[in-house]
Amino acid sequence: MMSGEQLFGVHGAALEVRSRRLGMLASNIANASTPGYKARDIDFDAAMRQASDGSLSDGAIDAATKFRVPVQPSLDGNTVELATEQTAFAENAVAYQTTLSFLNGRIGQITRALKGE
């Protein structure tokens, strides 16, 4: 029996990282006016290096999570810069959809192979 890593490579881990990053960026956007809120982001490359074996742990995500350094800090201590967060969210959403499309295509190939088509 083949493992998920053999079937999908690192794409399963990439989808997980991108999903978690979408949630984190959405949280940043939602807290744009919360005094003292510190914006965080996941370094995708660092998380994928941690998941080089194809599996992903919470520790790998935590190690790749960093606080964002604002260009213009707010007087209330909030480090969310809405334009930056929205841009990062949109870029990550496109990458998430691309990875998901690839995986759907791969699943379709495997399904057709199993059916003998």
Side-chain angles (χ1 to χ4, degrees):
M1 182 171 193
M2 295 183 83
S3 72
E5 182 184 344
Q6 290 172 313
L7 292 174
F8 305 118
V10 298
H11 298 288
L15 195 65
E16 176 68 19
V17 172
R18 295 210 183 280
S19 174
R20 297 251 194 117
R21 186 168 184 236
L22 281 172
M24 192 171 289
L25 294 170
S27 179
N28 290 347
I29 291 168
N31 286 287
S33 61
T34 303
Y37 183 83
K38 305 297 182 203
R40 298 179 307 145
D41 197 0
I42 296 172
D43 180 339
F44 179 80
D45 293 331
M48 291 308 294
R49 279 192 301 277
Q50 292 284 328
S52 61
D53 63 355
S55 63
L56 190 65
S57 68
D58 286 338
I61 295 287
D62 292 342
T65 300
K66 307 292 182 213
F67 286 100
R68 191 176 309 287
V69 177
V71 175
Q72 276 191 316
S74 172
L75 292 176
D76 66 3
N78 185 306
T79 62
V80 175
E81 293 175 319
L82 202 52
T84 300
E85 301 301 328
Q86 289 172 329
T87 300
F89 186 90
E91 288 172 350
N92 193 67
V94 168
Y96 177 90
Q97 187 60 48
T98 301
T99 303
L100 189 60
S101 294
F102 174 82
L103 286 172
N104 280 333
R106 183 72 176 128
I107 291 168
Q109 288 176 331
I110 293 167
T111 302
R112 285 189 299 280
L114 289 172
K115 290 180 180 178
E117 295 176 5

